[in-house]
Amino acid sequence: MFRLFESKSHTELYSKHCPHPTTEIVQKVMDFLNKHSPLETSESRHQCMVDVGCGNGQATELFAPYFTEVNGFDISPNQIEHASRKFSNVKYQVASSESMPFEDKSVDLLISCEAVHWLDLNAFFAECTRVLKPNGCLALIGYEPIKINPFHAMECNNTAVQQLFSNFFSACKFTPHVDHLLNHYRDIYELVNSKNKIHHNNMEQTFNWNLEDLRNALSTWSGYQTYMKDTTNALTVQHGSENVTAEMVKEQDILEIFIRRLNQVLCSSDKPDDQVEIKVSREWFVILSDKPN
């Protein structure tokens, strides 16, 4: 398992600005489960659902109405500390995907939202096979990096907007694990050892944001957080920790540079960031499978 998103500051950002799966995705997952494990009545609930690498519970609680017991677990204590606790049937704990704290054949649905690409896949799939009931199902949910579409496309250079965003993305220090997201988990789909599996793709979600919203969302990216950590460490080595100022770090902050230049390209330099409107889209994808062999 590759470990990120665990520092207190990063966890706080993640809990505030991490996206939630759409209603469409939740419905696709439940339709798939109900087909393979039908309920006795429309009022019945499935027994047990597990969210692996649940983070702060951005996906976990969406499934609370459908199950008697919902369990979210994550390797990061800070993520669990920030998990939402709105439903009495939802419980969170610190645990590893390589040794799930559940009995054999006890889980109806096992999901992982925007997390499976960080895991030891062989160990993860082995645990899925162990804990899922014979008619249990697996759902692996992810989304690709956002796309920016200015509201006033005719008044600005949209090509310049996309180039700025591309430059920011390239400057971020992502690990190779992120490649799984860029190809919509197609390679992970091939690893799921099941004859009954589906790969849903291109489920678009759109938002009307401003530049402050964009800054907040991009600040949660692992590649950006790694870049800023490395930058701060380099400045410390060069100048000494007591001589490194916030201004020095900000001068090399690729997110602040990107937002400032984007504002200029959008011809909105006279407006504060929270008043500069943009349209943002995100594509979700999900792998659905019965119990892997």
Side-chain angles (χ1 to χ4, degrees), residues 279-290:
K279 187 180 292 290
V280 172
S281 62
R282 174 184 289 119
E283 287 192 7
W284 290 81
F285 42 89
V286 58
I287 297 170
L288 298 173
S289 171
D290 58 7

Side-chain angles (χ1 to χ4, degrees), residues 109-125:
L109 174 67
L110 191 150
I111 76 166
S112 183
C113 181
E114 194 71 4
V116 71
H117 53 284
W118 300 113
L119 307 181
D120 179 329
L121 293 175
N122 289 331
F124 169 71
F125 285 129

Side-chain angles (χ1 to χ4, degrees), residues 67-99:
F67 295 86
T68 302
E69 173 187 344
V70 175
N71 301 275
F73 70 86
D74 199 282
I75 198 68
S76 167
N78 278 331
Q79 288 283 7
I80 295 300
E81 181 181 344
H82 285 83
S84 174
R85 290 170 170 80
K86 297 178 182 178
F87 298 90
S88 60
N89 63 328
V90 178
K91 299 179 181 179
Y92 295 99
Q93 61 181 307
V94 177
S96 168
S97 63
E98 299 169 13
S99 181

Side-chain angles (χ1 to χ4, degrees), residues 116 121 124-125 128 138-140 185-198 287-293:
V116 71
L121 293 175
F124 169 71
F125 285 129
C128 290
L138 173 67
L140 306 177
Y185 282 178
R186 290 184 180 89
D187 47 355
I188 294 178
Y189 176 80
E190 297 301 325
L191 297 176
V192 179
N193 188 13
S194 167
K195 293 182 179 180
N196 191 358
K197 58 183 181 180
I198 301 172
I287 297 170
L288 298 173
S289 171
D290 58 7
K291 180 175 181 173
N293 297 321

